[in-house]
Amino acid sequence: MATVGNSTNIFWHECPVNKVDRQKLLNQRGCVVWITGLSGSGKSTLACSLGRELHSRGKLSYVLDGDNLRHGLNKNLGFSAEDRAENIRRVGEVAKLFADAGLICIASLISPYRKDRDACRAMLPDGNFVEVFMNTPLEVCEQRDAKGLYKLARAGKIKGFTGIDDPYEPPLNCEIELRTLNGICPTPSEMAGQVASYLGDRGFLHYTE
Ligand SMILES: Nc1ncnc2c1ncn2[C@@H]1O[C@H](COP(=O)(O)OS(=O)(=O)O)[C@@H](OP(=O)(O)O)[C@H]1O
Ligand SMILES: Nc1ncnc2c1ncn2[C@@H]1O[C@H](COP(=O)(O)OP(=O)(O)O)[C@@H](O)[C@H]1O
């Protein structure tokens, strides 16, 4: 019997089919690929491209996209530092469940605060949280402005926009950094290939005892 947060008198139930059983069934290892970066840096594009790449290799993945989750699970949250922290915490918990289900969970959120991302990392066993930093310069994101949000933020019509008048803390020790080289941005499929290779090299794309 335990007390956790505001819950008292609660019990943990073990199920007879566990994570190892599911990983064997799927012939892969569950993990979380956490993509962080500015709005417009290419997070969703990479998440979809990686999902497609893994699917083509017969690996089961699922994308948790910040924008999409704000249509449902997180629709009661805004963009204050507290709400962003709660947004990241919830997605971290959901991602942990997907990893426990044996899936390669791809989470793509701005996740601007280091401590919120580190808290999600701490939810998983060592090595199972793969942080990918989309290091696309603000000027490039702003030039793309796919949703017209930078224009609105510059005009003062959106307050607290990440990179304009709200902070973004780049990772200090991420597993993968994707950046423009000599002004050239790798294609989404090149980036997805790089992440998939990383997962392959660390044994996530097969299950061996
Ligand atoms: N103030 C402000 N700052 C940043 N982004 C904003 C804001 N208001 C709305 N949007 C839109 O919300 C998307 C980011 O949602 P996230 O859940 O990823 O954000 S966070 O991780 O909680 O910071 C983000 O999507 P992406 O462009 O895909 O990053 C924007 O479309
Ligand atoms: N590797 C890339 N090279 C060139 N353009 C890209 C690349 N990745 C994304 N884009 C473009 O940048 C814009 C923002 O991408 P998106 O994936 O929506 O970013 P985010 O999810 O970080 O907001 C889109 O118009 C997309 O087509």
Side-chain angles (χ1 to χ4, degrees), residues 34 37-41 43-44 65-70 74 78-80 83-85 87-88 91 108-113 147 149-150 158-163 165-166:
W34 190 280
L38 293 170
S39 176
S41 59
K43 301 181 298 297
S44 305
D65 189 88
D67 237 345
N68 292 355
L69 293 169
R70 283 175 176 276
N74 293 331
F79 290 92
S80 65
D83 279 9
R84 289 185 200 248
N87 183 35
I88 303 315
V91 179
S108 56
L109 297 96
I110 296 178
S111 41
Y113 297 107
K147 301 170 190 162
L149 297 179
Y150 281 102
I158 301 178
K159 303 277 182 221
F161 196 78
T162 306
D165 56 349
D166 224 47

Side-chain angles (χ1 to χ4, degrees), residues 74-207:
N74 293 331
K75 66 178 168 191
N76 63 328
L77 300 175
F79 290 92
S80 65
E82 296 71 28
D83 279 9
R84 289 185 200 248
E86 175 59 10
N87 183 35
I88 303 315
R89 188 193 69 80
R90 285 185 201 169
V91 179
E93 290 287 356
V94 174
K96 177 182 162 184
L97 295 176
F98 273 105
D100 187 56
L103 273 68
I104 295 152
C105 182
I106 306 163
S108 56
L109 297 96
I110 296 178
S111 41
Y113 297 107
R114 229 172 260 140
K115 77 170 171 27
D116 298 336
R117 297 191 301 265
D118 288 347
C120 294
R121 178 185 289 276
M123 291 176 194
L124 287 140
D126 277 353
N128 286 20
F129 183 89
V130 179
E131 190 172 353
V132 179
F133 175 30
M134 296 300 296
N135 191 359
T136 311
L138 175 65
E139 308 77 69
V140 174
C141 299
E142 200 168 350
Q143 211 166 19
R144 288 177 178 168
D145 206 8
K147 301 170 190 162
L149 297 179
Y150 281 102
K151 202 166 171 218
L152 291 174
R154 287 288 185 199
K157 292 182 181 152
I158 301 178
K159 303 277 182 221
F161 196 78
T162 306
I164 304 298
D165 56 349
D166 224 47
Y168 178 80
E169 299 172 355
L172 298 175
N173 283 308
C174 59
E175 280 70 16
I176 301 173
E177 181 176 346
L178 298 170
R179 58 190 321 162
T180 45
L181 280 177
N182 307 321
I184 297 165
C185 187
T187 65
S189 69
E190 283 166 350
M191 291 185 183
Q194 190 177 332
V195 179
S197 294
Y198 180 96
L199 295 174
D201 291 347
R202 276 150 190 86
F204 288 109
L205 304 186
H206 292 284
Y207 187 86

